[in-house]
Amino acid sequence: MIFDLIYLLLLLTGIIILVENRLSRQIIVIAVQGFLLCGSVFQVYEYTEFHFWMLIVLILTFKTFLTPYILIVSLKRLRMIEHTKPRFGYFITLLLFVPGLFAVLKMSNAMKELPVQIDKVGLIYVLLLIYLGILSFIARRHWVVLIIGFVMFENGVFLLTLILNKGLPFGTELIAFVDALLVIVAAVSLQTRADFYKNLVKDRK
């Protein structure tokens, strides 16, 4: 089924982010993950519905373009190193993934009723995506990766709410994209602080 493939690709992007050690590549992958979210909208809504186009526009604007763009600009402007500062090696990171996998399988089995168009395979992929977002907080120390992990976590929560409830109230849909606004505020604050210290150093010279 095409939608199971989309959810599998979403999960694979999360795994790539977890094991990738270059920030620029992680940002590209989180942009791809944002684009793949559009697939869930096709699964839940008809293209003639207002919510369909509203969600597509919000996803493409915030998750596919704006959030990754702000992170890339911040990365270049602040001249940050590409290394993600992992706390653990690949082996321990993968070991941390195992208990999450068992917990997700148990949780999915506990859910008896699902929407007709949703199967448990897709639900497992979404729950694992949420867990990968949480795991990124544990496995990495770089603040950009923490933001990416937060975005990934929110992507999973957004998917879970969307497919289980078949649609969200308009206000809730907007709240689902608050992560992009937080990224923008954080990036602008860091850039302003960097510019302040740069001008301060110039003035002293």
Side-chain angles (χ1 to χ4, degrees), residues 32-183:
V32 173
Q33 186 180 104
F35 177 76
L36 289 172
L37 292 178
C38 294
S40 63
V41 182
F42 280 92
Q43 185 181 19
V44 174
Y45 291 108
E46 297 292 336
Y47 71 92
T48 55
E49 295 183 61
F50 169 74
H51 273 73
F52 173 89
W53 292 107
M54 183 183 67
L55 280 176
I56 291 294
V57 169
L58 287 173
I59 288 171
L60 293 178
T61 301
F62 286 97
K63 295 185 178 295
T64 307
F65 297 109
L66 192 57
T67 298
Y69 173 76
I70 292 296
L71 289 175
I72 285 287
V73 170
S74 301
L75 190 65
K76 292 181 178 179
R77 188 163 184 179
L78 298 177
R79 298 177 182 177
M80 287 181 285
I81 58 174
E82 282 278 349
H83 202 264
T84 58
K85 301 178 181 178
R87 296 179 188 273
F88 317 109
Y90 292 117
F91 181 71
I92 296 179
T93 301
L94 291 176
L95 282 181
L96 291 173
F97 180 75
V98 174
L101 176 60
F102 283 111
V104 164
L105 291 174
K106 186 174 181 180
M107 190 182 304
S108 63
N109 289 330
M111 294 183 178
K112 302 298 183 182
E113 295 184 4
L114 293 174
V116 177
Q117 74 276 26
I118 306 299
D119 58 21
K120 285 194 176 181
V121 174
L123 178 63
I124 289 171
Y125 291 154
V126 172
L127 292 174
L128 284 175
L129 184 65
I130 294 174
Y131 179 70
L132 286 172
I134 297 172
L135 191 55
S136 65
F137 286 96
I138 302 172
R140 294 289 188 271
R141 289 176 292 181
H142 199 290
W143 70 268
V144 173
V145 186
L146 298 182
I147 291 178
I148 292 174
F150 172 74
V151 173
M152 181 161 56
F153 170 80
E154 195 277 327
N155 286 346
V157 172
F158 169 77
L159 279 173
L160 183 64
T161 309
L162 184 67
I163 64 178
L164 292 185
N165 291 318
K166 195 186 181 303
L168 307 168
F170 180 74
T172 310
E173 289 170 348
L174 290 180
I175 292 173
F177 295 87
V178 167
D179 60 336
L181 300 179
L182 293 175
V183 170

